[in-house]
Amino acid sequence: MAFHGSYAPEDVTFLLKPAAVALTGVAEKEALIQSGARHYSEMLSEERLPDERYLALYRAALARNGGRLRADVETLADAIAARPETARSCTIISLARAGTPIGVLLRRALVRRGLDVAHYSISIIRGRGIDRVALAHIAATRGTADAVFVDGWTGKGAITGELEASLADGATGFAPFLAVIADPAGCASLAATAEDYLIPSGILGAIVSGLVSRSVLSDDLVGPGDFHACRHLTEHAAADQSRAFVDAVEAAPLPQQTFPGWSPSGARESRIACTALVEGLMAECAVPDVNRIKPGIAEATRAVLRRVPHAVFVRDRDDAEVAHLLHLADRSGVEVHQRELGNYRAVTLIAKAGDV
């Protein structure tokens, strides 16, 4: 059954199945993932509330980058409204969870431009694909012609590849058109910028995403005809920032300075640079599994929060954009190394199971 999390009903409909998901310890989960015994999507770990220092860093990032994010959402809205397929109506399909806050902002921006807009948030899982039950629901309700998939950013392109693979057979009727705010990996269909900057919603979890967990796909929770599952973390309602984040971005003053933009030709260069960085780190750190490399501020942050990190690399320790990450690393006892990272400000290397 569809629900709205902690958002206003008009802002988003989650096509996810709230469920009582058993929690797995982080170290146990990491061992199960790396051994191949369980897929990461079958398990959730406890999602703890951030400490006061981390929340202060989040608020500082929101004050620093809220206006830039607002401008980037407007840039995306203009580009989407200029497409023939979405000139009058748009069905936003945000990829839970990172895409959800961006989808809410984008829905509002497109409504202001006079478009008929619906916003759904659905599950896509690396190695398992997109939720086809959710897509069928959207197709029956809105059709497929005006759909735009939305995410917050690209890390190294894994979800983009999953989206393309999931829709490649044409059976769903949806095209894999992906719009993101930041595309340092150079693999989105449309983006506002190629720069890896701190999108504030990217460094919090459920409390900035409608109190919804990462999606879960396991046979005991998801049967035929069910949406992918999630936990609805109502116990964290007092700490919820979801609506406040959207309101803060919409009220933020637009920046006076200009920032690097995005273009298809620039994206091709970013893609080459991303591949070179990831392959170089894999060789340098003797990492055979590409999934242990998490490039980009948000992905690096999430890896420290919910995986077992071995090391964090940053381009500049004094960069305010990575201050929260240095705090997390210090609190977790994770080594931080400063080095050149190309398009990225930060990368987390996940530890090999058994090495920690």
Side-chain angles (χ1 to χ4, degrees), residues 52-177:
E52 282 304 314
R53 171 61 177 156
Y54 193 82
L55 279 175
L57 291 165
Y58 160 76
R59 288 190 289 267
L62 184 56
R64 186 173 66 250
N65 290 345
R68 177 175 184 179
L69 178 56
R70 176 187 169 194
D72 284 345
V73 169
E74 296 296 327
T75 295
L76 279 187
D78 283 341
I80 288 170
R83 300 176 68 230
E85 303 93 331
T86 47
R88 296 182 179 180
S89 67
C90 182
T91 301
I92 298 170
I93 306 175
S94 64
L95 304 178
R97 289 185 301 184
T100 309
I102 305 306
V104 171
L105 288 163
L106 189 57
R107 186 202 75 84
R108 293 185 180 189
L110 289 171
V111 167
R112 290 193 293 269
R113 285 159 173 76
L115 276 69
D116 166 33
V117 189
H119 174 207
Y120 300 94
S121 189
I122 75 172
S123 167
I124 186 169
I125 295 170
R126 176 177 48 78
R128 295 286 177 88
I130 202 162
D131 186 343
R132 290 192 169 224
V133 174
L135 286 183
H137 175 91
I138 296 169
T141 306
R142 294 276 301 186
T144 63
D146 67 353
V148 173
F149 293 92
V150 170
D151 211 346
W153 54 84
T154 60
K156 57 179 180 289
I159 291 301
T160 307
E162 198 67 54
L163 180 65
E164 292 171 347
S166 294
L167 304 181
D169 62 5
T172 67
F174 289 93
F177 187 91

Side-chain angles (χ1 to χ4, degrees), residues 263-312:
S263 68
S265 60
R268 287 190 290 272
E269 295 177 6
S270 294
R271 196 154 52 244
I272 293 169
C274 171
T275 300
L277 173 68
V278 172
E279 290 180 351
L281 284 173
M282 290 177 70
E284 177 184 326
C285 302
V287 176
D289 181 2
V290 69
N291 294 317
R292 287 174 51 203
I293 307 286
K294 301 295 182 182
I297 291 175
E299 291 303 310
T301 301
R302 289 168 178 231
V304 175
L305 285 170
R306 66 189 194 204
R307 301 291 295 273
V308 180
H310 173 70
V312 171

Side-chain angles (χ1 to χ4, degrees), residues 4 10 82 92 114 174 190 193 200 218 284 333 348:
H4 308 287
E10 64 271 18
I92 298 170
F174 289 93
L190 179 67
T193 182
S218 60
E284 177 184 326
T348 291

